[in-house]
Amino acid sequence: MEHKTINIQYTESESFSEVPEQDQELLSAAAKSAASAYAPYSGFGVGAAIRLSSGRIITGNNQENAAYPSGLCAERVALFYASAMFPDEKVETIAVTVKTESGRITDPVAPCGACRQVIAEYENRQNKEIKIIFSGETGRVITMNGIQNLLPITFNSNNLNQGK
Ligand code: THU
């Protein structure tokens, strides 16, 4: 028997103005997208912005539904759109942020579990780590290089292949 430890690494910036300019640009695109989220039920508008290898920026926001589980998170709207429209481009970075009426979200909004799984899928597919950046409406910004820092020990296509 062996006890193992997983080391998770990330960068915490005090504020938006402390992150590199390219990341600020992506967070701003995510914030703009969050403002047009369709989130009438939660009032919690989330925006995601993706920088592709070509430099193109793709945005998406959460799309809710009266049948609650039929809605989709901002990250997956943006990732699926990017994959559907630009399947040959790699996802370099995804930035996530939020917009609410109160404007009081100070804690960084991390991607949910299902979105982490989808980020893991595209990392595997492109064989290159995805940089993940997330923030609240104000305050700290978290930056991570690679999904292993958010979702260690993933289920992926290797697991499926072993069953064949
Ligand atoms: N939401 C996202 O868009 N991304 C996340 O990672 C977490 C949650 C959305 C889903 C729902 O529309 C609202 O936020 C409240 O959960």
Side-chain angles (χ1 to χ4, degrees), residues 5-10 116 144 146-152:
T5 304
I6 291 173
N7 182 19
I8 284 177
Q9 292 188 353
Y10 63 93
R116 294 177 195 203
M144 300 183 151
I147 194 66
Q148 79 278 356
N149 292 299
L150 271 182
L151 189 69

Side-chain angles (χ1 to χ4, degrees), residues 122-133:
Y122 291 128
E123 260 201 18
N124 249 8
R125 175 192 189 183
Q126 67 186 28
N127 202 19
K128 187 173 185 285
E129 283 184 350
I130 296 173
K131 181 166 157 183
I132 303 151
I133 306 166

Side-chain angles (χ1 to χ4, degrees), residues 6-153:
I6 291 173
N7 182 19
I8 284 177
Q9 292 188 353
Y10 63 93
T11 303
E12 187 173 286
S13 308
E14 278 302 318
S15 68
F16 178 86
S17 57
E18 219 185 70
V19 303
E21 212 170 293
Q22 273 220 328
D23 295 347
Q24 284 191 20
E25 190 193 346
L26 214 55
L27 274 171
S28 295
K32 194 169 170 210
S33 186
S36 47
Y38 178 58
Y41 304 105
S42 70
F44 196 80
V46 183
I50 291 171
R51 188 185 304 280
L52 295 175
S53 41
S54 63
R56 191 190 306 270
I57 291 176
I58 299 293
T59 59
N61 45 39
N62 50 332
Q63 299 296 315
E64 296 186 347
N65 196 285
Y68 290 0
S70 300
L72 198 63
C73 292
E75 295 91 320
R76 277 175 288 164
V77 169
L79 285 163
F80 292 157
Y81 179 74
S83 179
M85 296 295 286
F86 309 102
D88 300 326
E89 291 190 30
K90 292 188 176 182
V91 173
E92 289 195 336
T93 309
I94 182 166
V96 184
T97 192
V98 61
K99 177 94 185 115
T100 64
E101 239 169 59
S102 76
R104 277 204 300 256
I105 310 291
T106 52
D107 283 339
V109 171
C112 80
C115 290
R116 294 177 195 203
Q117 182 67 29
V118 171
I119 295 169
E121 180 72 25
Y122 291 128
E123 260 201 18
N124 249 8
R125 175 192 189 183
Q126 67 186 28
N127 202 19
K128 187 173 185 285
E129 283 184 350
I130 296 173
K131 181 166 157 183
I132 303 151
I133 306 166
F134 50 95
S135 72
E137 293 172 288
T138 56
R140 294 172 297 136
V141 181
I142 305 285
T143 304
M144 300 183 151
N145 290 312
I147 194 66
Q148 79 278 356
N149 292 299
L150 271 182
L151 189 69
I153 316 183

